[in-house]
Amino acid sequence: MRQSPISPCPSCPPQAASGHGCAVYSSSVTDAEWATLEPLLPAPGSTAGRGGRPEKYCRRVIVDAILYIVRGGIAWRQLPVEFPPTGTAYAVFARWAHSGAWQRIVDVLRDRLRVRDGRDRCPTAAIIDSQTVPAADTVPRSSRGWDGGKRTNGVKRHIAVDVNGLLLAVVVTAASIQDRDAAYRLLAALRGRFSTIRLVWADGGYPGRLPVWAKDVLALPMQIIKRIPGATGFHVRPRVWVVERSFAWINKHRRCVRDYETRPDHHEAMVHIAMIATMTRRLARS
């Protein structure tokens, strides 16, 4: 990806050298995107009453480094030299993933987009689906498995989105876990975070006792949208196409096309970051 210099970053630490600036790649945030994203980042430990040294590197260039990884799909150790050291960028990514910061940023951006589009901030309906992606040889066997239907050795990401296709919840499991079994965790997480949801749409991969359990235990009625009887080939199914489009948004980020993460929660964080990049660009254009 091409690189071009910009003026010194206004978010650089005071101790940064004079003339310090952030390298810009096609994955880097613009000034408008950074104005949206910066207030949502976790406060530095040195300013949140927890002590510690001031941050050494500009937060904007650290975010750009993480976005470079997610969009380009490269290894952490292959970050260009103008970014902070690999250990620093990865430590920030992992720390924010552990604290749930990426998910909180997704929630704020999604709420803003819903309000901008004239919808209520709290969703009342969701669509769920799963996607199998192959796993790299660095992924431990404990977190991957064989999906016989897709003939793929990897992981499954199970997501719930609102009617606009914006992410509500994500759960990553081994690909050997059936959709209906993993949906118990996904629906429980969905209900735990959104008490306003009154209907969930799903495709024919979620039959059996799951809809009964969701209605009786979680008060989440499910509507199964099946294929048109006798239809062959591809056809667009109502509501289900929305979550398929969300998977397409996620797959624009090459780190999400294949699983390279040694921990499922880090794969979930990669999905969150992909959606953050998508929603931030959309908000910056408004």
Side-chain angles (χ1 to χ4, degrees):
M1 288 182 276
R2 290 182 297 178
Q3 165 191 1
S4 60
I6 63 172
S7 59
C9 173
S11 67
C12 290
Q15 69 270 25
S18 176
H20 176 73
C22 301
V24 174
Y25 292 88
S26 59
S27 59
S28 301
V29 293
T30 64
D31 290 341
E33 292 168 0
W34 180 242
T36 300
L37 195 56
E38 183 183 20
L40 307 181
L41 301 179
S46 58
T47 63
R50 297 192 297 272
R53 295 181 301 174
E55 294 183 344
K56 181 178 180 180
Y57 295 97
C58 165
R59 293 197 129 196
R60 180 169 174 174
V61 77
I62 290 178
V63 170
D64 280 350
I66 296 172
L67 290 175
Y68 186 90
I69 291 287
V70 178
R71 188 60 189 265
I74 66 169
W76 285 97
R77 294 186 181 275
Q78 293 180 337
L79 273 174
V81 294
E82 59 265 23
F83 287 123
T86 297
T88 300
Y90 178 78
V92 171
F93 160 79
R95 184 167 66 247
W96 290 356
H98 179 72
S99 67
W102 299 118
Q103 181 173 311
R104 289 193 293 271
I105 295 172
V106 167
D107 292 340
V108 174
L109 297 177
R110 182 193 61 249
D111 292 350
R112 291 182 182 178
L113 281 171
R114 288 181 60 86
V115 171
R116 190 198 68 175
D117 294 340
R119 294 186 177 274
D120 189 89
R121 183 178 63 86
C122 300
T124 58
I127 310 106
I128 65 172
D129 202 357
S130 70
Q131 182 183 47
T132 301
V133 294
D137 57 0
T138 55
V139 178
R141 293 183 179 181
S142 59
S143 60
R144 60 174 170 165
W146 176 258
D147 182 349
K150 302 294 178 60
R151 302 188 65 81
T152 299
N153 189 337
V155 303
K156 275 186 184 178
R157 45 180 175 243
H158 311 263
I159 68 171
V161 301
D162 68 2
V163 294
N164 290 334
L166 304 178
L167 188 67
L168 299 175
V170 57
V171 171
V172 174
T173 68
S176 54
I177 304 297
Q178 294 293 324
D179 291 356
R180 60 180 178 271
D181 296 330
Y184 287 94
R185 286 179 53 191
L186 180 63
L187 292 176
L190 188 65
R191 172 52 80 208
R193 303 186 61 241
F194 302 97
S195 60
T196 55
I197 293 182
R198 300 192 295 267
L199 178 62
V200 175
W201 288 289
D203 64 14
Y206 299 90
R209 292 176 292 179
L210 176 66
V212 177
W213 176 85
K215 183 177 181 180
D216 294 345
V217 178
L218 301 179
L220 271 179
M222 291 184 64
Q223 180 179 343
I224 305 298
I225 301 176
K226 300 181 179 180
R227 294 177 60 89
I228 299 175
T232 59
F234 173 79
H235 65 274
V236 178
R237 286 174 288 175
R239 301 297 181 182
V240 176
W241 70 268
V242 174
V243 70
E244 297 291 351
R245 183 184 60 180
S246 300
F247 281 130
W249 292 342
I250 294 169
N251 284 339
K252 287 183 178 180
H253 301 78
R254 294 185 177 182
R255 187 80 181 195
C256 298
V257 173
R258 187 179 180 90
D259 181 31
Y260 296 97
E261 316 310 321
T262 58
R263 297 174 45 165
D265 60 326
H266 283 187
H267 188 116
E268 294 170 5
M270 290 293 179
V271 173
H272 284 131
I273 295 169
M275 290 301 297
I276 287 170
T278 300
M279 292 189 289
T280 304
R281 285 194 297 269
R282 195 177 301 179
L283 283 169
R285 290 197 297 264
S286 61

